[in-house]
Amino acid sequence: MDEPDLIRAAQQGDQRAFEQLVRLYDQNVLRLAMNMLRSPEDARDIYQEAFLRVYKSLHTFRFDCSFHTWLYRIVTNLCLDALRKRKVRREETTVVETSEGPLDRMDTLEEARVDGDPERQLLSRQLERKIRECMGELTPRERVVFEMRHYQGLRLKMIGETLGTSEEAAKNCLFRATQKMRTALGDFV
């Protein structure tokens, strides 16, 4: 079954079709939320809330845009709302104090690939940490656009549609984010 058929079947109440849609997008949704929020717990909450909203609202999906765009718009809006709430409360850090000293919770996430070269692994971790720091300095919108372009591989037109803005606005936002990242990464690039 192709995606439009899955969507139509899910709209008619087919649970298996909905489960297949979730499986198609679950890792991308979780990755997007994780990269935006930088908190595994918050990312999982957004993941669940996003698919709950999709389930409740799927009957309203009219194929005006791609399902991918519609889903990413939901996830992005939920993440931006969470970031706004976080700013009101306080900015949560990924670094926590333990009996052994500070620990970055992002370092406890398992990496998907296994590198045999310890030096390369160390450099990779240093670069990842620096990128996370730099991403934290971007505005939420810049972070979203940068993540969608460089981590999700979306085209600027799709990013603009997802964010409800123009392709040109997405391009300008990506340019600002990229410039900030280049400046902050300095020696690494």
Side-chain angles (χ1 to χ4, degrees):
M1 224 186 264
D2 63 354
E3 187 176 281
D5 291 336
L6 281 174
I7 295 166
R8 285 186 188 91
Q11 285 176 325
Q12 295 171 359
D14 184 338
Q15 292 297 316
R16 285 188 180 154
F18 183 75
E19 289 169 12
Q20 281 186 277
L21 282 172
V22 170
R23 277 194 299 275
L24 278 173
Y25 291 102
D26 64 347
Q27 291 303 307
N28 289 335
V29 165
L30 194 55
R31 188 178 312 113
L32 174 61
M34 183 64 198
N35 285 328
M36 286 183 66
L37 301 174
R38 300 182 318 156
S39 162
E41 297 85 14
D42 291 346
R44 283 190 287 274
D45 289 345
I46 294 297
Y47 169 89
Q48 290 177 351
E49 179 64 25
F51 282 112
L52 181 63
R53 286 195 184 184
V54 167
Y55 183 77
K56 288 180 177 178
S57 304
L58 192 58
H59 67 282
T60 66
F61 182 71
R62 302 281 180 241
F63 298 91
D64 296 335
C65 61
S66 72
F67 182 77
H68 183 266
T69 299
W70 186 67
L71 174 60
Y72 269 45
R73 187 175 295 151
I74 290 169
V75 175
T76 301
N77 288 338
L78 287 170
C79 288
L80 290 173
D81 288 346
L83 288 169
R84 278 191 283 277
K85 287 178 188 171
R86 188 184 289 172
K87 287 284 185 203
V88 170
R89 290 191 322 250
R90 65 173 178 75
E91 183 68 29
E92 290 182 29
T93 179
T94 60
V95 179
V96 293
E97 282 298 323
T98 67
S99 60
E100 298 172 7
L103 170 72
D104 189 339
R105 292 182 291 175
M106 295 296 285
D107 291 338
T108 62
L109 292 176
E110 288 186 30
E111 205 169 308
R113 63 176 200 269
V114 179
D115 285 336
D117 182 358
E119 184 179 343
R120 190 172 182 192
Q121 208 171 24
L122 175 65
L123 288 172
S124 177
R125 282 189 187 261
Q126 288 173 340
L127 179 58
E128 285 175 29
R129 188 172 295 122
K130 187 68 177 170
I131 288 172
R132 278 197 308 275
E133 288 173 15
C134 296
M135 291 288 281
E137 298 298 317
L138 299 177
T139 67
R141 190 170 212 51
E142 289 169 343
R143 194 179 319 155
V144 168
V145 171
F146 191 87
E147 145 71 26
M148 289 177 145
R149 180 68 187 114
H150 293 290
Y151 290 100
Q152 303 294 327
L154 297 181
R155 292 199 166 119
L156 288 168
K157 183 177 181 179
M158 175 79 73
I159 294 169
E161 288 174 10
T162 301
L163 297 177
T165 188
S166 70
E167 179 178 354
E168 188 63 29
K171 184 177 182 179
N172 290 335
C173 190
L174 177 63
F175 177 78
R176 286 190 308 275
T178 303
Q179 290 301 102
K180 288 180 182 179
M181 293 290 284
R182 279 192 183 131
T183 301
L185 288 173
D187 295 337
F188 282 103
V189 292

